[in-house]
């Protein structure tokens, strides 16, 4: 419990507010009913703890953002990108814009669980067919948005608050790890480590530090090595947080403070 609590605290959660429930899935202890084998535990069962979790507020009023997980070619229907709606609503008839490439195409239909639906809302895994776009034009990591309402674009760079959690050495400008943000998986360069901060208060400790190490929080300007679509955390939270991976492990986490949009050439397929 101490180890997990320390880790949760490190990444910004409040362990005091999180119920720790000892269970045995094999024996069914504390899953749905109180266990006789744990007289020392007075807290909720796993089911009660899950029932007490507040449902997240779904961001339906924001502009559409749908990171693509896969793209399929289905006979008689055509090209069908699939992904989870993170914000906004996708409906048949709207013009979808795909970032960071700037492709646009009409959404012919929206499907969930092999049934056509009139719309898909945040949290829904949906497939949608688009006209006149080849499977080769789209790939995992692209983001679909509404061409008529704040369409998503690629970024040339972004400023992020990064917390180093599990890196064995020191990190300086020029470091190029892999960023996992929504479904995208792109190498990004630490172009400029701008500020070293106190993790709890957010106060600036040092400007332009030479290097950062485990446990440090900092503001970094990052530049993707390939076209990438991300958003600031305040505008679109699901597209504004990321993990930094290196040496086959997660070495840091971050949230995006601001982005510099890149100019993608627009191509329309109607």
């Amino acid at each position: 419990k101490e180890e997990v609590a320390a880790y949760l605290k490190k990444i910004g959660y409040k362990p005091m507010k999180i119920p720790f429930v000892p269970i045995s899935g094999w024996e069914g202890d504390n899953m749905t009913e109180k266990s006789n084998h744990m007289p020392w535990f007075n807290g909720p069962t796993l089911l009660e703890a899950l029932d007490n979790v507040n449902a997240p507020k779904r961001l339906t009023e924001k502009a559409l953002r749908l990171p693509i997980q896969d793209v399929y070619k289905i006979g008689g229907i055509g090209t069908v990108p699939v992904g989870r709606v993170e914000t906004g609503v996708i409906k048949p008839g709207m013009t979808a814009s795909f970032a960071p490439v700037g492709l646009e195409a009409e959404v012919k239909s929206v499907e969930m669980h092999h049934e056509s639906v009139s719309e898909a809302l945040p949290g829904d895994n949906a497939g949608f067919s688009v006209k006149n776009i080849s499977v080769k034009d789209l790939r995992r990591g692209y983001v679909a948005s509404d061409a008529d309402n704040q369409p998503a674009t690629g970024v040339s760079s972004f400023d992020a608050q990064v917390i180093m959690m599990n890196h064995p050495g020191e990190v300086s400008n020029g470091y190029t790890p892999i960023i996992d943000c929504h479904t995208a998986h792109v190498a990004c360069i630490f172009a400029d480590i701008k500020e070293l901060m106190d993790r709890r208060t957010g106060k600036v400790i040092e400007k332009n530090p030479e290097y950062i190490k485990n446990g440090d929080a900092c503001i970094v300007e990052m530049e993707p090595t390939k076209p990438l679509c991300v958003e600031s955390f305040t505008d679109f939270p699901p597209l504004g947080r990321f993990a930094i991976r290196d040496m086959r492990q997660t070495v840091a986490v971050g949230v995006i403070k601001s982005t510099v949009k890149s100019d993608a050439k627009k191509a329309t397929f109607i």
Side-chain angles (χ1 to χ4, degrees), residues 1 19-23 30 33-46 48-49 52:
K1 178 181 172 181
F20 285 80
V21 184
I23 60 166
N30 255 2
E33 294 170 7
K34 295 259 188 240
S35 166
N36 301 325
H37 302 127
M38 301 180 203
W40 49 270
F41 180 68
N42 300 321
T45 63
L46 181 63
E48 288 166 354
N52 291 335

Side-chain angles (χ1 to χ4, degrees), residues 176-193:
T176 312
I178 298 288
I179 301 295
D180 279 339
C181 184
H182 56 87
T183 57
H185 185 78
V186 173
C188 291
I189 301 165
F190 277 40
D192 182 16
I193 302 172

Side-chain angles (χ1 to χ4, degrees), residues 128-238:
F128 57 101
S129 62
V130 285
K131 277 187 181 176
N132 303 335
I133 283 193
S134 157
V135 175
K136 293 173 188 161
D137 294 331
L138 301 175
R139 60 183 63 171
R140 181 183 169 89
Y142 286 4
V143 176
S145 57
D146 183 350
D148 301 322
N149 180 14
Q150 300 175 41
T153 62
V155 298
S156 56
S157 68
F158 56 92
D159 283 7
Q161 181 178 344
V162 173
I163 297 176
M164 302 299 292
M165 280 164 34
N166 195 21
H167 196 285
E170 294 169 348
V171 168
S172 53
N173 290 345
Y175 177 55
T176 312
I178 298 288
I179 301 295
D180 279 339
C181 184
H182 56 87
T183 57
H185 185 78
V186 173
C188 291
I189 301 165
F190 277 40
D192 182 16
I193 302 172
K194 295 182 172 181
E195 296 171 352
L196 182 64
M197 307 157 66
D198 184 295
R199 215 166 61 200
R200 289 194 174 76
T201 62
K203 275 189 182 170
V204 177
I205 299 169
E206 185 186 346
K207 293 260 189 191
N208 304 318
E210 249 178 79
Y211 62 85
I212 49 175
K213 58 186 189 311
N214 245 6
D216 285 348
C218 53
I219 298 288
V220 185
E221 182 188 334
M222 305 180 78
E223 293 176 358
T225 56
K226 286 188 201 158
L228 172 67
C229 172
V230 293
E231 300 279 1
S232 73
F233 185 79
T234 48
D235 293 340
F236 297 96

Side-chain angles (χ1 to χ4, degrees), residues 95-96 102-106 131-133 147 265-270:
T95 302
L103 289 174
E104 290 188 0
E106 187 187 331
K131 277 187 181 176
N132 303 335
I133 283 193
K265 307 265 187 306
K266 272 202 177 177
T268 307
F269 298 90
I270 301 295

